[in-house]
Amino acid sequence: MSHGPIFTWSAKSSISLINGLKDCITVLNNHKREFFSDSTFIDWCCATNLYRSSNSYRFSCIAKSVDQLINCLEDYVFNQSNNRVGEPSHPKPFIFLYGAQADDYKEIASFLFHNADVFHKSFKLCEEKFLTYTQIPISKYLGQEEVDENFLEENWEGSNVSYLLFLRDALSFSIEYALTLFWHNLGLVPNSVLGVGIGEYSAAVASGALKLTDAISLIVQRYKFLDKEYSDK
């Protein structure tokens, strides 16, 4: 691995957080052999990220190996200078950058769609709003490469080319919107946002400058105009 997975843990109180991390240290020390492979270690970290990250008192770190994670946990739990759980922190400012083609990450998005409740609900909200304009369930294409052209002809008024472009951007926008709320739920709220291409819509919504309904309407209208332009030529 060039970099390690993110490990997160949360609890409802500072004492519970420390006790929970101590339990993690014990589990890791007692079961090192089971975490010998990178994939098993990553799966374990992923499970804690999904199911133990939404409470108010939180811990996170990046570790390349079980031993490195144990060291991070022990340093946090037993080092009194760092053991200031629950006190206000002052994190460094950071930016969310929204790209033009988030549909490149459909497999990751598909995993979160089926395993992370906040991501699933946020993506489905976008899908419902897109369905008011076109009868295309975009979640159908998460993690899939092939497109049912017969289905397109029945549910899309424009050309197949414009639909493929629309599907790409609808997926990208919905993934970025759902990821934003997923990270917000983990306590990661950016100081600034920046977008390029379809990511400009995502950034505008994330910043509060544009409503979700308006952004989706603009995306749909964009491709209706494109179809009209091509049909006039």
Side-chain angles (χ1 to χ4, degrees):
M1 292 182 294
S2 59
H3 56 80
I6 297 174
F7 169 85
T8 61
W9 194 266
S10 72
K12 294 183 178 180
S13 69
S14 58
I15 295 176
S16 295
L17 179 63
I18 292 299
N19 289 336
L21 295 178
K22 286 181 179 178
D23 289 340
C24 288
I25 293 171
T26 300
V27 169
L28 290 169
N29 276 319
N30 291 342
H31 301 280
K32 280 187 180 181
R33 293 182 179 179
E34 296 177 21
F35 295 107
F36 181 79
S37 68
D38 288 343
S39 59
T40 307
F41 175 56
I42 292 173
D43 288 343
W44 188 79
C45 289
C46 182
T48 64
N49 295 346
L50 290 173
Y51 301 112
R52 292 304 305 266
S53 304
S54 59
N55 294 309
S56 300
Y57 294 81
R58 301 173 182 179
F59 170 85
S60 65
C61 69
I62 296 176
K64 293 184 178 181
S65 65
V66 175
D67 288 329
Q68 189 175 20
L69 178 56
I70 291 173
N71 290 336
C72 289
L73 293 172
E74 289 179 339
D75 182 63
Y76 184 81
V77 170
F78 301 114
N79 186 337
Q80 293 300 314
S81 65
N82 291 334
N83 192 4
R84 301 168 63 87
V85 184
E87 295 190 6
S89 60
H90 303 282
K92 294 181 180 180
F94 62 95
I95 295 174
F96 276 3
L97 174 61
Y98 298 90
Q101 293 185 19
D103 67 315
D104 289 343
Y105 306 103
K106 286 187 292 186
E107 290 185 6
I108 297 174
S110 179
F111 176 82
L112 291 174
F113 182 80
H114 291 99
N115 294 278
D117 187 56
V118 172
F119 186 96
H120 179 90
K121 289 180 178 178
S122 302
F123 191 95
K124 290 295 289 185
L125 177 61
C126 290
E127 181 177 55
E128 290 171 6
K129 293 186 178 298
F130 276 116
L131 283 172
T132 62
Y133 298 97
T134 175
Q135 300 303 308
I136 307 293
I138 58 175
S139 61
K140 176 181 178 181
Y141 297 102
L142 272 178
Q144 296 184 13
E145 296 296 333
E146 296 183 1
V147 175
D148 186 343
E149 295 185 4
N150 292 328
F151 184 78
L152 300 188
E153 292 178 1
E154 296 174 359
N155 295 278
W156 181 254
E157 296 177 356
S159 66
N160 284 2
V161 174
S162 67
Y163 171 75
L164 294 174
L165 294 174
F166 165 76
L167 177 61
R168 181 197 67 188
D169 284 355
L171 280 171
S172 294
F173 175 83
S174 300
I175 290 170
E176 291 175 342
Y177 176 79
L179 273 176
T180 299
L181 297 188
F182 174 78
W183 287 117
H184 283 187
N185 186 61
L186 296 180
L188 296 173
V189 181
N191 301 84
S192 303
V193 293
L194 184 66
V196 58
I198 200 67
E200 295 180 56
Y201 295 93
S202 305
V205 172
S207 69
L210 190 64
K211 293 181 180 179
L212 175 63
T213 303
D214 294 335
I216 288 176
S217 176
L218 288 171
I219 293 170
V220 173
Q221 294 302 322
R222 176 185 181 186
Y223 285 98
K224 287 187 177 181
F225 286 135
L226 279 175
D227 270 330
K228 185 176 185 302
E229 180 180 348
Y230 285 122
S231 63
D232 290 343
K233 291 184 178 180

